[in-house]
Amino acid sequence: MTEQQSTTENAAERHVRVVLVDDHRMFRTGVQAEIGQTATTGVEVVGEAADVDQAVTVITATRPEVVLLDVHLPGGGGVEVLRRCAPLMADAERPVRFLALSVSDAAEDVIGVIRGGARGYVTKTITGADLINSVFRVQDGDAVFSPRLAGFVLDAFASTDAPPVDEDMDRLTQREREVLRLIARGYAYKEIAKQLFISVKTVESHVSAVLRKLQLSNRHELTRWATARRLV
C-alpha cells in the first residue's frame, strides 16, 4: 500500500466539511476533484467562494469545520475574511477553522493570516494526500505549515518588536507584491501568469502599476529594489 493510499483510506474513516475560497474557478475545480471525493477521502466540499463577501456568506450559511482560504482575494483578502468570521472561529461548540492555501510564500502573508486566526498555511505545491491530511489536522485543532513557512511564524511571534513600516510597499496591493517578487526572481511574464492563474496582460498591468508607484523605470531597477529589501 502506498503512502497516498494509506492517507486517503485513513481519511475516509472520518468526515470533514470544507469550504473552498479562491478567486480562480479552475483552481477550485482542481482542488474539488483532488480532495472532494467524499466516499474515498472523507472530505465533503459544502461550498465555494471567489471573493470576501461571497466567502463570509457561504461560510456563515454552511458552518464548515475547515475553510481552505486563499490569501489574495477581491474585497480585502483572506485577512478580511478572517476578521469578519472571528465569531465563528471563537464558537466553542462548533468552531470554524481556517487553513490558508496560497501560491504566496511571503513572510508577511503567512504572518498576516496567522495573526488573523488561521490555524495553518500551506502553499499550492502541496500534494492532494498532504492537503487532505492537513485538513483533518486543522479540524482537530492542530497548527499546520509547509516546512519552510513555520520559521516565519516562529520568528514573528518570538520578536516583541513591531515590524518596520515600509511606505513604498504599503502603496502596492497584495497582488502587485506577488508579481513584484516573481519578477525579481527572474520569472517571465508567461511563467508568472501561469503560477498566479492570471493572464499575461494582467501581469503586464501589475508590473506597470508597480513601476509607476515605486517610480522605477524597468524590471532591472525593480529587481535591485526588491533585493535591497530582501524580498527575493
Side-chain angles (χ1 to χ4, degrees), residues 156-169:
F157 286 91
S159 173
T160 56
D161 298 327
V165 175
D166 188 328
E167 294 183 359
D168 289 332
M169 282 293 288

Side-chain angles (χ1 to χ4, degrees), residues 7-8 13 25 28 43 49-50 58 70 79 89 100 110 116 118 125 133 142 148 150 156 165 168 182-183 207 210 232:
T7 301
T8 303
E13 297 173 3
R25 182 179 59 81
R28 297 198 309 272
V43 178
V58 171
D70 192 11
V79 171
M89 289 189 282
V110 178
T125 57
N133 182 57
D142 291 346
R148 71 177 298 268
V165 175
D168 289 332
L182 293 174
I183 285 288
V207 172
V210 170
V232 181

Side-chain angles (χ1 to χ4, degrees), residues 4-166:
Q4 181 169 357
Q5 288 173 324
S6 177
T7 301
T8 303
E9 290 185 11
N10 290 337
E13 297 173 3
R14 304 177 56 191
H15 183 266
V16 59
R17 299 169 68 253
V18 171
V19 164
L20 304 178
V21 180
D22 193 287
D23 60 339
H24 298 107
R25 182 179 59 81
M26 290 183 64
F27 179 76
R28 297 198 309 272
T29 300
V31 174
Q32 165 83 16
E34 184 75 21
I35 74 172
Q37 307 302 314
T38 310
T40 303
T41 65
V43 178
E44 179 186 2
V45 177
V46 297
E48 298 182 16
D51 60 34
V52 169
D53 288 339
Q54 287 179 14
V56 174
T57 298
V58 171
I59 293 165
T60 302
T62 59
R63 296 295 296 266
E65 283 86 32
V66 177
V67 177
L68 289 176
L69 179 68
D70 192 11
V71 174
H72 302 300
L73 294 167
V79 171
E80 178 64 11
V81 175
L82 291 164
R83 185 187 69 79
R84 291 168 60 179
C85 290
L88 301 180
M89 289 189 282
D91 188 326
E93 297 294 327
R94 296 173 57 199
V96 176
R97 297 188 169 103
F98 287 79
L99 173 62
L101 175 63
S102 177
V103 69
S104 172
D105 60 0
E108 64 264 29
D109 287 338
V110 178
I111 294 164
V113 295
I114 297 305
R115 289 191 187 280
R119 296 295 304 174
Y121 195 117
V122 295
T123 60
K124 289 180 178 179
T125 57
I126 193 171
T127 66
D130 285 343
L131 182 57
I132 291 167
N133 182 57
S134 297
V135 166
F136 280 112
R137 287 179 59 193
V138 168
Q139 181 191 29
D140 289 338
D142 291 346
V144 179
F145 297 94
S146 293
R148 71 177 298 268
L149 305 185
F152 296 156
V153 179
L154 291 174
D155 291 345
F157 286 91
S159 173
T160 56
D161 298 327
V165 175
D166 188 328

